[in-house]
């Protein structure tokens, strides 16, 4: 189908925007943490079935993963994907439909929960697309798969669905398309050939000292001082070791040690997040982190070698040239000057490319 024909078809077919705005507010006010998206998945499954359009719905794939398959004759198989999970963030927007939800996370700690990354919008948009494409079945042929993925925020959902036999349960797609809302002008969209979202690696680093009373620091090996040294030196990796023409981010998002002010802890935990857009840069940054941690531990007299554990890993998202060229044609025809065909590669990360 030509891009212009597709654009005319879209403009002649509408959905009930009031319904989908209400649905978006529903999802926004009821966020669920990674691996706990049971109600979101159930709502999406119920709505797919209520379309009575022939979607074959399967649930509980790789956790709370959900797919709907709509077979419509010969043609390519296209998979559209939305992620469902929310973040452990307290919402302070003041919106009438703001989240008041708290949930217990995987560590057993009660956390406020918010859709701070737009997954509520992703789910709503995919359900609207599922309805719209079902109503337009006379105008296209092939197989449509709508996939609602759990646990994107912890980088585990896509792989879990694949490992749970996703492609034994549904047709293998020829094309996989994802989406992500971004902080930019309303109504504008962007895409690009090649790198579109960054690679990301996260670690928990445990530093081992010798605990004791705050009044006798000479009898201890203070892991807080050790951790501060590590954190300070990590900030020099990007500024002094990475080529200024290359992209890299090293963020320390958490430093935890001890429970009270007059006791020196025997260990400290530092959580580090790395973003890169080039495999060589990634390898150099990760090697530098290990070198700095080892060196600081030796300099501080650590009681044993630091433990570095990978907590999450997101692959680099790279858009296929031929598929992206077809997407660009349709976007340019529909959005006109509101479409950017060379949007910058995002510093954020996704596990969508695993699918």
């Amino acid at each position: 189908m030509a891009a212009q024909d597709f654009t005319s078809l879209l403009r002649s077919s509408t959905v009930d925007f009031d319904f989908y705005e209400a649905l978006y507010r529903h999802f926004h006010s009821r966020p669920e943490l990674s691996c706990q998206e049971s109600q979101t998945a159930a709502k999406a499954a119920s709505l797919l079935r209520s379309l009575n359009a022939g979607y074959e719905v399967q649930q509980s794939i790789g956790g709370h993963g959900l797919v709907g398959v709509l077979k419509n004759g010969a043609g390519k198989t296209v998979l559209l994907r939305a992620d469902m999970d929310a973040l452990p963030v307290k919402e302070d927007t003041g919106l009438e439909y703001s989240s008041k939800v708290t949930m217990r996370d995987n560590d057993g700690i009660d956390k406020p929960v918010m859709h701070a990354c737009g997954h509520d919008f992703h789910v709503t948009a995919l359900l609207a697309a599922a309805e719209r494409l079902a109503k337009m079945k006379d105008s296209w042929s092939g197989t449509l798969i709508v996939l609602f993925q759990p646990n994107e925020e912890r980088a585990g959902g896509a792989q879990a669905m694949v490992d749970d036999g996703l492609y034994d349960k549904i047709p293998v797609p020829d094309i996989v398309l994802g989406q992500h809302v971004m902080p930019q002008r309303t109504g504008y969209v962007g895409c690009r050939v090649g790198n579109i979202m960054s690679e990301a690696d996260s670690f928990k680093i445990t530093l081992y000292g010798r605990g004791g009373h705050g009044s006798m620091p000479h009898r201890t090996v203070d892991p807080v001082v050790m951790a501060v040294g590590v954190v300070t030196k990590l900030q020099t990796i990007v500024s002094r070791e990475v080529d200024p023409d290359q992209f890299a981010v090293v963020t320390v998002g958490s430093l935890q040690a001890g429970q009270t002010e007059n006791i020196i802890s025997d260990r400290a935990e530092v959580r580090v997040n790395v973003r890169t857009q080039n495999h060589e840069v990634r390898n150099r940054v990760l090697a530098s982190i290990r070198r700095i941690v080892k060196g600081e531990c030796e300099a501080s007299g650590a009681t044993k070698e630091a433990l570095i554990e990978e907590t999450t890993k997101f692959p680099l998202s790279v858009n296929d040239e031929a598929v992206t060229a077809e997407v660009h044609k349709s976007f340019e025809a529909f959005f006109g000057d509101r479409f950017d065909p060379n949007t910058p590669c995002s510093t954020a990360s996704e596990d969508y490319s695993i699918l």
Side-chain angles (χ1 to χ4, degrees):
M1 183 186 298
Q4 191 59 49
D5 292 341
F6 181 68
T7 296
S8 300
L9 197 60
L10 280 178
R11 287 178 173 145
S12 66
S13 172
T14 61
V15 294
D16 184 345
F17 286 103
D18 289 338
F19 171 81
Y20 283 104
E21 180 180 357
L23 184 62
Y24 162 76
R25 292 182 176 217
H26 169 90
F27 286 130
H28 186 86
S29 64
R30 295 166 176 82
E32 296 175 295
L33 290 175
S34 303
C35 301
Q36 300 183 50
E37 311 92 339
S38 59
Q39 296 305 307
T40 303
K43 181 74 170 178
S46 175
L47 288 170
L48 276 181
R49 291 189 176 103
S50 72
L51 294 175
N52 294 317
Y55 280 100
E56 301 170 11
V57 179
Q58 297 186 61
Q59 295 176 253
S60 302
I61 304 174
H64 296 295
L66 160 73
V67 293
V69 179
L70 182 61
K71 296 178 180 178
N72 190 34
K76 290 188 179 297
T77 297
V78 178
L79 187 153
L80 308 180
R81 174 268 201 179
D83 36 13
M84 299 186 289
D85 52 334
L87 288 163
V89 174
K90 180 178 172 58
E91 180 163 3
D92 193 25
T93 62
L95 295 170
E96 61 178 327
Y97 55 93
S98 63
S99 170
K100 306 296 190 298
V101 172
T102 60
M103 297 185 78
R104 187 158 295 175
D105 68 10
N106 292 335
D107 295 323
I109 301 172
D110 289 332
K111 298 281 183 67
V113 188
M114 177 188 176
H115 269 301
C117 199
H119 297 186
D120 46 354
F121 183 87
H122 298 171
V123 173
T124 304
L126 184 52
L127 286 167
E131 178 190 353
R132 201 164 189 176
L133 287 165
K135 289 180 176 179
M136 296 163 54
K137 280 199 301 185
D138 291 342
S139 302
W140 61 271
S141 63
T143 298
L144 171 66
I145 303 168
V146 290
L147 183 148
F148 299 83
Q149 182 201 306
N151 194 21
E152 185 275 336
E153 297 292 356
R154 302 302 302 162
Q159 191 64 59
M161 293 188 75
V162 172
D163 291 345
D164 198 21
L166 173 66
Y167 294 123
D168 295 327
K169 305 174 192 294
I170 66 171
V172 176
D174 298 297
I175 298 169
V176 178
L177 299 175
Q179 60 176 345
H180 210 297
V181 291
M182 290 293 183
Q184 61 185 39
R185 289 184 64 184
T186 300
Y188 284 70
V189 297
C191 193
R192 66 179 287 117
V193 172
N195 292 1
I196 185 66
M197 300 193 84
S198 302
E199 195 164 13
D201 298 89
S202 293
F203 302 92
K204 181 177 78 171
I205 303 171
T206 306
L207 306 170
Y208 298 98
R210 181 183 302 113
H213 199 275
S215 65
M216 294 176 280
H218 57 293
R219 295 184 178 180
T220 73
V221 175
D222 193 337
V224 173
V225 176
M226 196 187 312
V228 169
V230 168
V231 172
T232 301
K233 290 179 176 62
L234 289 180
Q235 306 312 308
T236 67
I237 294 175
V238 174
S239 66
R240 291 296 177 267
E241 298 187 37
V242 175
D243 187 324
D245 289 334
Q246 298 289 345
F247 166 80
V249 171
V250 177
T251 295
V252 177
S254 174
L255 195 167
Q256 298 180 354
Q259 301 295 325
T260 189
E261 66 275 9
N262 66 334
I263 299 296
I264 294 172
S265 176
D266 66 349
R267 67 187 62 195
E269 289 184 357
V270 179
R271 292 182 181 260
V272 182
N273 179 255
V274 176
R275 309 278 173 150
T276 53
Q277 296 172 1
N278 176 294
H279 292 312
E280 291 182 7
V281 173
R282 172 185 178 269
N283 292 339
R284 180 168 186 174
V285 170
L286 298 188
S288 296
I289 290 173
R290 294 182 182 277
R291 186 195 74 237
I292 287 170
V293 170
K294 181 178 180 181
E296 190 62 31
C297 288
E298 290 178 354
S300 300
T303 55
K304 62 179 180 178
E305 186 176 338
L307 177 62
I308 302 178
E309 301 172 273
E310 184 178 81
T311 53
T312 62
K313 175 175 171 49
F314 289 90
L316 187 65
S317 294
V318 183
N319 280 342
D320 177 83
E321 184 174 355
V323 173
T324 305
E326 291 301 314
V327 171
H328 280 191
K329 290 177 185 177
S330 295
F331 278 10
E332 285 169 350
F334 189 80
F335 292 104
D337 60 6
R338 292 177 296 143
F339 168 59
D340 180 0
N342 194 30
T343 191
C345 181
S346 173
T347 58
S349 305
E350 264 274 12
D351 67 346
Y352 136 87
S353 60
I354 292 171
L355 297 170

